[in-house]
Structure formats: structure tokens, C-alpha cells
Amino acid sequence: MKFKIPTLSASTSETSVGLDIGFHDIKVVELVRGEKGFTITKFAIREIPTAILQQKDRAGLLGDMIKKMFSDAKIKNSSVYLSITGHNVIIRNASLPKMPVEEMVNAAKWNAKEEVLFDLDKAVVDNYIMGESDNEGATLVDLLSVIVRGDVVDFIVSIAKSAGLKPKGVTVVPIALWDYDQALSTQKPGTVTSYVDMGAERTRIYFVCDQRILFSREIPNGGKNLTSCLIGEYELEDGKTAIIDEVRAEQIKKTFGFPAENNTKSTEEGIPLKLVRERFEPILIKQVTEMDRSIEYFKNQYRKDSVDRLILSGGGVGLSGLYQFLKENLDLEIDRCNVFMQAGVQDDALSKEKMKLFGPSLTVAAGLALGKCDKINVIPEKYRPSLKKSLTKLAPLAAALVLFSALYGYSSHLRGKVSSQKTLLSDQRIGLEKLQTQAPELQKPIQQLKGFKETKSALRKEKKQLPGDTSFPFDFDQVFSELSLLVPDNTSISKIVYAAQGSDEEAGEEESLTRIGKADVSDWERIKIIGEIFGGGLNVQSSLRNLLQDLKGSPAFKDIKLITSNPLKDGAYNSPGIKFEIYIFPAPANSA
């Protein structure tokens, strides 16, 4: 049975935005519901750079990335709905005695205490009442509970807030897939649907029947496995060897997909597509085997005769030939989610190839925008809007209005004094004009001081030319050896300058030091070192402090002075850090 776009009972021109922050990439969909379904108004997909994934504190970097995605896609709506998944998310079905809604949270925690491995006191819980049933005269509530570790929700919300967005809800991936499916088709009671979300790192399988998420399983196999199997050497028919790296492997995967068995074409390198198929096939067979095991386990565990529908979504579904392979190897009705094929699209320039490739990966984001977290919303109360919070925000404005009224009355009194102050100001201006006529006389001492400095510099140069004054007062080899031992691994020295007494370099540095208020060191032979320390936060400051201590404690130097230390400019390097300038004053050659 194919997906159908239903006629919706309500029509609205307001857009809603779903933001799916995955482990490998970020997807965003802006859509609007209409009388004949929904229309994709804006969308964006970006792969998360490896450099960001390796950062421990990456919420801000991801926020900057999302902010640019919204800007490039021209998405104006800042209210977003978010998804969450992983091992820190627990989804449970339970039948509990009917009780007040506010007591259901603690009841859900108690019911799941044997299964949850994280701190339940800090967990976020939301329940969805699916219905009621009677059991020997007692009324039971059929409850769908979602329990999420609190700091995981805080992290996903902090990413959105750092992008300047307003998170309105957080729900789990199977709910988003369920909402997307419900927006497209209505199922008969008893129909068992399996949602298969194929991501980059892993594949997740969910089973839903009669408004209940019954079972879920994670398979550690995804799109990256297919990319990895293509990396390596290929022996070509002409005797040559082709070497494929990760970037090219990803391109081959997206371009050729899973080639047909009788495909006789080759890649640009001359690699026959039959070799590409041979490398793909073991990975896909393993994927099908794990999916089949999950289906059989579900049927045995929940006493179901069959799984009626299997719905594919996620970036991996866009691989050409994959759908046909799964259909041939799984005895099920299989259909694919593709938001571009199953909804209206405002972007007429979007090619059919790009629709097929990227459409499935936007399913969760579209489901978030469609469902708006109406069943399950685990966003903590501290992030939810409320009347009390609104009044709290308006309180400063009300106080400002009262203050403005008081200030306006007081300003009437002050206006009477303005006229007299203007007369005083006129007198002061006349006095200022007199002082300005005397200003040129004040420049003479400054010019004399400049002449003295030039004379001093010239005398130092003459001194350098005198016999016996050309030898260096310290051992450069010892200085460089000591630096190589003391400079840590995360530090780079980009410039070393020797400022001898009387040199142009020394004179220029003396003037710079005087301008920024540093001590006069013109009588000392010194070496200026400019470098960078890479890292983040306190680690960088600690590295700089340790370097200064090590240099100061070295017998090769009689003194150390830190001139400047500033954060590295954005984009200057691949990693954050600071740039520093220090003077080292080497010990005399005969005293080190």
C-alpha cells in the first residue's frame, strides 16, 4: 500500500520548523499545512565537520553551524521542535491504575526503575495517555512513557538556544516518524508498522501497533559502513591500481548506489561497478539479516502473526538500488519516506536526483514540524513559556514606565536650569579657545624629547661599530636548546627576534613598550619570542603559566617578561588558542 497525502481538516498559513540534530549531520525542515496536505517551504542539510565532533564542548560550534543553515536557507521562523534519541532515552508502555495526571510522572519512574541506568531524580519524563481499559472493575490507564536523562535534553536545547532559536518542544525519533506516517495515511486497527530509520552510524527499528510503540532495537550498521567498505585499493583490468579514499568513496556511493548485478559500467577511475556491488553486498546482507531477526523477535515477543508494513526513512534510504534489494530479501510490504515526493515543494529548481537522495533523510525533521511534539514533549519546565514567566519578563518594562514618568516630571524642573548652564558653557568655550592658542608652545618639549631619542639611537649604533663590541654577550646555542626543551607540544613559536643594544629592533621595541606602559628594558640584551598556544579555556592559560614558570626557573635566563597574550582571531587556525609575546633575557655566556 502506497502513502497517500490526506485532506487535512484544518488549514493554516503558519509555518512550523523541525530541527533534527543527529550524530553525523543536521537537518531542518520548514513546512506549512494546507487543505491538501503539507508543503515544504524551506529545508537545509549539513554534515557536521569532524573537527566539531571531536570537541568536547561543541554546543556553541553546532549552534553557529545551525545559525548559518537558517540564514542560508532564509528560514525566519525561530521557534523549533527538536528530536532526541540514543541509549539515554527509555520508551515504555504500561497499564497503571487511573490517577491524577501530576502523579503519573512518579508512577512512570517507579515502573521503569529496573530498566533505567541513569539517575531518575534528574530525569525528564512525559506521558501520553493512549486510552483506558477495565480490569475486574478497576479502571486502568494505557500509558506511553518517555524518560530521558536530564543533561541530554539540556545539551540539545542549549545547541538550539546558542543558534538564537526558541525550542518549543523535544520529542523522540519514533514519535516524529509516527507523526509523519499519520499525516500521510490512516491505518486499520491491529495494523503492525515497523519504522526503520537508517542513519550514518546506526539503524534503528521501531514497531508500532494501535497507537503504541511496542518495541525498538538499534543495529550498529549505517551509511558509514557502506562508505568504509569502498575505501582501499582496486586492481583494474589494465593492470593498474586505483586507490579510493574516504571522500571519493562517499562520492561513488552517492553517485552509483548499489549497482545492479548485470551493470557493466565503471567509475571514472575505471573500477567496474560489479566490484562496487561485491563490496556493498556483505554489508547489506548483514543489514537485512539483522532487520529480519528484529522482526522475528518482535513477532515472538508480542505474539503477532506478521508485520504488515515496513517504512524506510533516513539518509541511507536514498542509496540507489537499496530499496529494491530490501524488497527482494524481506517478505514484507516496504515503502519509503521521501518528503519531496510526498509533499508539495516550493523550490522548483530542486532536481529529481537530489529529491531521491536527500528526501528520506528529512523525514524526522518533517515529522517534528508536523506533530509539534503534541504527544510527547520532554522539554523541561524551565524552558517552557508560561504566564508567570511572561509577567516576570514584563516586570522590568512596567518598572521602566513608572521610572520614565518620574523622570519626565523631574526633567521639567531641570529644563529651568538649562538656560543658565548654556551661559556658563559659552564662557568656558571662550577660555578653551585661549588655551588652544597656547597649545603649539606645549609641543616644543615633545619635539626636544624626540630629538634626544634619535641622538641616543645614533650613539648606540656608533658604539656597536667600535672594536671589540661585536661579540654576542650570550650563547645562542644554549638559548635555543633550552627553548626546545621547555616549549610544550601544544605551543608553536612563530617568530624569534634578537634585540641588541643600540639596534633598530631594540629602539622600535623600546618605543612600543613605552607606548603600552611596560617597564623600560632598553639596557638589557633580550630576545623577543612570538608564539601561539592551542587549546581551550583554562588549559591554554595553564600552559602559558607553566611555560613562563619553566623559562623563569631555567639557569639559561636571568629574567622573563610577558608582553602580551590575546585570543587567536576566529578562522586564523583550525583550533582555538592564544597568541603571546614575551621577552627572555639570557644569562651571560660565562654564568649559565
Side-chain angles (χ1 to χ4, degrees):
M1 185 179 72
K2 299 294 183 182
F3 279 129
K4 295 180 180 179
I5 300 178
T7 299
L8 303 174
S9 57
S11 176
T12 176
S13 60
E14 293 183 359
T15 62
S16 57
V17 181
L19 178 59
D20 179 17
I21 305 173
F23 297 103
H24 180 258
D25 49 21
I26 299 174
K27 289 84 64 178
V28 58
V29 169
E30 180 192 76
L31 57 79
V32 59
R33 282 195 178 226
E35 295 181 355
K36 296 184 179 180
F38 59 92
T39 300
I40 306 298
T41 54
K42 307 280 176 49
F43 72 94
I45 305 173
R46 294 289 186 278
E47 185 175 343
I48 302 174
T50 304
I52 293 180
L53 292 174
Q54 292 174 347
Q55 296 291 329
K56 183 178 180 181
D57 188 13
R58 58 184 180 276
L61 297 174
L62 291 172
D64 292 340
M65 181 178 170
I66 294 170
K67 184 184 295 184
K68 190 174 188 309
M69 289 175 64
F70 271 63
S71 176
D72 292 345
K74 298 180 180 179
I75 300 175
K76 304 297 183 183
N77 190 346
S78 61
S79 298
V80 296
Y81 299 92
L82 306 167
S83 65
I84 196 166
T85 188
H87 62 278
N88 291 311
V89 177
I90 304 298
I91 303 173
R92 286 183 58 87
N93 292 283
S95 293
L96 302 177
K98 191 172 183 179
M99 63 186 73
V101 175
E102 58 271 15
E103 296 180 11
M104 288 185 179
V105 170
N106 290 330
K109 288 183 178 180
W110 181 87
N111 188 51
K113 63 181 180 179
E114 300 297 330
E115 184 178 347
V116 177
L117 301 179
F118 47 84
D119 188 354
L120 276 172
D121 292 335
K122 298 180 180 179
V124 185
V125 181
D126 195 26
N127 299 304
Y128 175 55
I129 300 175
M130 297 176 291
E132 295 183 0
S133 59
D134 292 327
N135 185 8
E136 298 179 357
T139 301
L140 299 179
V141 176
D142 296 329
L143 203 65
L144 171 66
S145 301
V146 173
I147 306 172
V148 185
R149 211 174 82 181
D151 57 343
V152 175
V153 182
D154 287 336
F155 176 69
I156 206 76
V157 171
S158 70
I159 294 174
K161 291 179 77 67
S162 66
L165 303 176
K166 302 173 184 176
K168 297 188 69 175
V170 179
T171 194
V172 290
V173 168
I175 296 290
L177 296 174
W178 184 6
D179 286 333
Y180 183 83
D181 187 19
Q182 285 186 318
L184 297 176
S185 60
T186 302
Q187 301 304 316
K188 297 178 180 179
T191 300
V192 178
T193 300
S194 174
Y195 300 113
V196 178
D197 188 41
M198 302 180 69
E201 301 284 351
R202 53 189 62 82
T203 299
R204 293 183 175 88
I205 305 178
Y206 309 97
F207 294 88
V208 176
C209 180
D210 292 335
Q211 304 293 309
R212 289 171 171 81
I213 300 176
L214 300 179
F215 174 69
S216 64
R217 184 182 175 223
E218 184 176 286
I219 300 173
N221 193 11
K224 277 195 171 183
N225 297 81
L226 295 174
T227 302
S228 298
C229 75
L230 294 180
I231 300 173
E233 294 186 0
Y234 292 80
E235 295 293 336
L236 306 181
E237 295 178 355
D238 58 2
K240 295 181 180 180
T241 300
I243 300 178
I244 302 299
D245 60 12
E246 183 177 359
V247 174
R248 179 57 182 153
E250 184 72 13
Q251 292 173 347
I252 292 174
K253 181 185 75 173
K254 290 182 178 180
T255 303
F256 300 101
F258 181 57
E261 195 169 3
N262 58 352
N263 195 319
T264 59
K265 296 182 179 180
S266 302
T267 67
E268 294 177 5
E269 296 83 359
I271 301 172
L273 292 185
K274 65 180 181 180
L275 292 181
V276 175
R277 179 184 174 89
E278 289 176 4
R279 294 207 177 193
F280 272 160
E281 200 161 21
I283 306 297
L284 295 180
I285 289 175
K286 180 180 179 181
Q287 184 86 325
V288 169
T289 301
E290 292 298 327
M291 291 168 63
D292 190 56
R293 286 178 180 173
S294 301
I295 293 170
E296 291 302 318
Y297 176 83
F298 166 76
K299 291 194 296 186
N300 293 331
Q301 187 77 8
Y302 290 88
R303 298 179 181 178
K304 299 290 183 180
D305 295 331
S306 65
V307 172
D308 302 298
R309 308 163 66 230
L310 190 144
I311 311 300
L312 300 173
S313 65
V317 179
L319 184 71
S320 173
L322 175 63
Y323 170 70
Q324 189 62 32
F325 180 82
L326 295 177
K327 199 169 184 179
E328 291 173 356
N329 289 274
L330 289 173
D331 187 20
L332 284 172
E333 176 190 340
I334 302 177
D335 211 338
R336 293 167 288 184
C337 293
N338 190 315
V339 299
F340 296 133
M341 305 294 184
Q342 295 156 345
V345 182
Q346 284 190 352
D347 188 356
D348 297 332
L350 195 63
S351 67
K352 191 173 182 180
E353 289 72 18
K354 287 188 176 181
M355 286 184 177
K356 290 181 178 179
L357 184 61
F358 298 119
S361 63
L362 296 171
T363 307
V364 171
L368 291 168
L370 289 166
K372 298 182 179 181
C373 304
D374 61 345
K375 298 181 182 67
I376 293 292
N377 189 353
V378 292
I379 191 169
E381 287 295 330
K382 58 186 177 182
Y383 300 119
R384 296 175 186 252
S386 65
L387 179 60
K388 182 179 179 180
K389 292 179 181 178
S390 299
L391 292 175
T392 302
K393 290 181 179 179
L394 290 174
L397 179 60
L401 291 174
V402 173
L403 180 61
F404 176 77
S405 300
L407 289 175
Y408 182 78
Y410 182 64
S411 67
S412 299
H413 171 70
L414 292 178
R415 282 194 294 269
K417 297 183 178 181
V418 171
S419 179
S420 61
Q421 293 296 327
K422 284 183 178 180
T423 303
L424 178 62
L425 179 60
S426 178
D427 295 338
Q428 290 176 342
R429 283 177 178 172
I430 295 173
L432 178 60
E433 290 174 356
K434 291 181 179 180
L435 291 175
Q436 287 175 340
T437 59
Q438 301 172 1
E441 295 296 324
L442 300 176
Q443 295 296 322
K444 291 181 180 180
I446 297 175
Q447 295 297 327
Q448 291 176 350
L449 178 60
K450 183 177 180 181
F452 291 151
K453 288 185 177 180
E454 291 175 352
T455 303
K456 180 181 178 181
S457 177
L459 290 173
R460 284 181 174 172
K461 289 182 179 179
E462 290 181 15
K463 180 183 176 183
K464 283 298 189 178
Q465 296 174 357
L466 294 176
D469 198 42
T470 57
S471 60
F472 291 111
F474 50 84
D475 187 349
F476 272 98
D477 290 339
Q478 185 181 33
V479 170
F480 292 145
S481 298
E482 196 71 2
L483 287 174
S484 66
L485 291 174
L486 298 180
V487 174
D489 293 339
N490 67 334
T491 301
S492 171
I493 293 179
S494 57
K495 188 175 182 180
I496 298 178
V497 180
Y498 169 52
Q501 289 187 16
S503 66
D504 292 338
E505 177 67 25
E506 193 253 2
E509 291 297 334
E510 179 187 359
E511 184 176 351
S512 298
L513 288 172
T514 303
R515 186 168 59 251
I516 64 175
K518 298 292 183 178
D520 182 10
V521 294
S522 59
D523 293 333
W524 294 3
E525 300 285 346
R526 60 188 182 277
I527 295 175
K528 179 180 179 181
I529 295 178
I530 300 175
E532 297 81 20
I533 299 178
F534 299 97
L538 295 177
N539 291 334
V540 179
Q541 299 298 332
S542 178
S543 296
L544 178 59
R545 184 176 63 253
N546 292 337
L547 175 60
L548 294 174
Q549 290 175 349
D550 292 341
L551 290 172
K552 196 169 186 67
S554 170
F557 312 118
K558 64 182 180 181
D559 200 2
I560 302 295
K561 289 187 181 296
L562 174 65
I563 305 304
T564 61
S565 65
N566 297 296
L568 292 174
K569 295 181 178 179
D570 292 340
Y573 295 90
N574 292 333
S575 300
I578 62 173
K579 181 175 183 178
F580 66 88
E581 296 182 18
I582 61 175
Y583 279 137
I584 62 173
F585 301 89
N590 57 357
S591 64

